[in-house]
Amino acid sequence: MSEKTIRPVSWGENGTVRILDQTRLPLETVYKECAQVGDVWEAIKSLRVRGAPAIGVAAAFGIALVANRSNAQSTDALLGELDRAADYLASSRPTAVNLFWALDRMRARAAELAQKPIEEMKRGLTEEAQAILDEDDQLCRAIGEHGAALIQSGEAVLTHCNAGGLATSGYGTALAVMFTAHSQGKRLEVYANETRPLLQGSRLTTWELMRANIPVTLICDSMAAHLMQSGKVQRVVTGADRIAANGDAANKIGTYGLAVLAKAHDIPFHVAAPTTTIDLSTPTGGDIPIEERAAEEVTEGFGRRTAPPGVQVYSPAFDVTPAELIASIITEKGEHKAPYGPALKEAVQS
Ligand code: MRU
């Protein structure tokens, strides 16, 4: 692991879940050692760990934590504890499907291990969480390869929110495309939307790209239309929190607007995500639950009140980009184009 490798979530030396506290970035690099499942829940809820794959990894380690700390005397009792913990962690955030995918995988592994001695079950669940992390790293690197093939040297790419190493096991999805293109010697320039209200683009994406020596320019979300109109952007690449079976993709609020703008300016709009973000059981984007966040994140984000006390606020954290606005979806399996129904089914099941 090079000193530049980001590990947003890992298994701590003392049997804790170690989380890089993203609310403190870019000014401070502080880790939170989660010793209780409630700490993991809180870290996900408050976006100390965020981004669809990273939330899944954190939840998987949360289950390993419960197993390792348990005093249960029978595997049946332990299975019950793990099931309650999985339900609890599932209540932290509703939109990113990787959370539920990872919890289901941990539940399935627990059921498989139920015939083994308790200590073996604990060890097996810790290994499973680590496997989810390691596999995500492989998926992200493959996404980077497939996505980088689309990037022409000299292009400027616009991205939204943070779909980088911080949002995954360490390499990213949308940013993996840029990291890989850069490592192949392609000249590229990135515009990062600041991403109101929680500024993941400003705080996290610019930080990651600057560490990688990729030229990045920060813009306010409202500047994207002007940038496209003045020919400064040749491509948009974002991540996703959940991709429905028909290709509609939920991602950070503001993504849909970017896709509409990209269409209006004839700029390709791509979604980069692992197949663990595709949810074939959700037929369309209209079926994806959209998280709503607290009013204070809009009225007094980062410690300064910017709206009159008592003002009514509506703060959906995600929006859905309809499949027809997406030029292609890049997964670890390759680049997928419309019609997305069969293409995504094939990608998930192959
Ligand atoms: O609210 P956040 O910061 O968790 O939202 C994250 C995003 O919208 C990312 O773009 C998405 O999870 C993809 S992460 C590879």
Side-chain angles (χ1 to χ4, degrees):
M1 207 162 83
S2 97
E3 70 182 68
K4 291 245 161 151
T5 306
I6 298 171
R7 269 287 171 256
V9 189
S10 57
W11 188 241
E13 276 165 22
N14 313 324
T16 53
V17 184
R18 190 164 196 256
I19 283 172
L20 171 56
D21 187 347
Q22 299 187 33
T23 64
R24 309 280 285 270
L25 286 171
L27 299 180
E28 294 171 298
T29 305
V30 176
Y31 289 85
K32 184 178 162 84
E33 303 287 343
C34 299
Q36 307 290 336
V37 67
D39 301 335
V40 178
W41 187 94
E42 190 278 336
I44 296 174
K45 179 78 185 170
S46 63
L47 273 56
R48 294 183 205 289
V49 58
R50 39 129 325 266
I55 295 174
V57 173
F61 278 125
I63 295 299
L65 181 71
V66 171
N68 282 283
R69 303 264 152 151
S70 172
N71 293 319
Q73 298 299 312
S74 70
T75 48
D76 262 2
L78 181 53
L79 276 178
E81 260 182 61
L82 296 175
D83 216 37
R84 285 190 294 280
D87 287 346
Y88 172 54
L89 287 166
S91 71
S92 56
R93 295 190 77 188
T95 305
V97 76
N98 300 63
L99 173 66
F100 310 102
W101 172 87
L103 288 171
D104 284 349
R105 179 161 155 178
M106 293 301 285
R107 283 190 220 252
R109 186 68 186 130
E112 272 170 23
L113 292 165
Q115 304 310 318
K116 306 274 185 197
I118 260 186
E119 285 312 311
E120 209 170 307
M121 191 167 165
K122 293 181 177 183
R123 200 167 44 250
L125 287 169
T126 315
E127 285 166 3
E128 190 70 5
Q130 185 63 42
I132 290 175
L133 186 156
D134 294 340
E135 287 167 27
D136 183 69
D137 192 60
Q138 296 306 310
L139 303 185
C140 289
R141 282 170 200 279
I143 289 170
E145 292 291 330
H146 294 303
L150 303 173
I151 305 283
Q152 308 293 311
S153 198
E155 272 186 6
V157 182
L158 175 62
T159 191
H160 190 65
C161 193
N162 171 267
L166 290 166
T168 60
S169 52
Y171 194 62
T173 58
L175 293 199
V177 172
M178 300 163 206
F179 294 141
T180 307
H182 178 73
S183 74
Q184 292 170 346
K186 290 183 180 168
R187 258 187 323 107
L188 90 153
E189 200 188 331
V190 181
Y191 284 98
N193 261 0
E194 100 185 311
T195 318
R196 278 278 289 155
L198 294 178
L199 308 184
Q200 289 93 330
S202 164
R203 294 185 299 107
L204 309 175
T205 295
T206 58
W207 181 78
E208 284 199 41
L209 291 168
M210 288 171 81
R211 287 173 95 232
N213 294 319
I214 297 178
V216 56
T217 304
L218 174 65
I219 59 165
C220 300
D221 302 341
S222 50
M223 298 170 186
H226 174 69
L227 239 73
M228 290 186 191
Q229 192 181 45
S230 42
K232 287 192 157 57
V233 173
Q234 283 70 52
R235 202 176 289 283
V236 182
V237 186
T238 72
D241 286 83
R242 188 187 302 222
I243 302 174
N246 71 344
D248 294 349
N251 192 48
K252 178 53 55 193
I253 192 76
T255 305
Y256 169 39
L258 272 191
V260 172
L261 284 174
K263 186 69 148 192
H265 292 90
D266 209 15
I267 293 170
F269 176 93
H270 308 273
V271 171
T275 53
T276 51
T277 300
I278 299 172
D279 180 9
L280 296 179
S281 70
T282 295
T284 72
D287 304 304
I288 299 176
I290 301 292
E291 177 183 14
E292 279 183 41
R293 303 278 308 176
E296 294 71 38
E297 292 180 352
V298 176
T299 57
E300 51 195 289
F302 305 98
R304 179 156 165 31
R305 178 162 268 283
T306 51
V311 67
Q312 193 165 304
V313 172
Y314 173 51
S315 184
F318 301 96
D319 58 25
V320 174
T321 298
E324 59 266 24
L325 297 180
I326 302 173
S328 66
I329 296 176
I330 303 151
T331 72
E332 75 277 9
K333 304 276 176 64
E335 188 193 15
H336 315 284
K337 294 194 173 172
Y340 288 112
L344 298 182
K345 197 165 173 199
E346 155 89 25
V348 171
Q349 291 171 356
S350 67

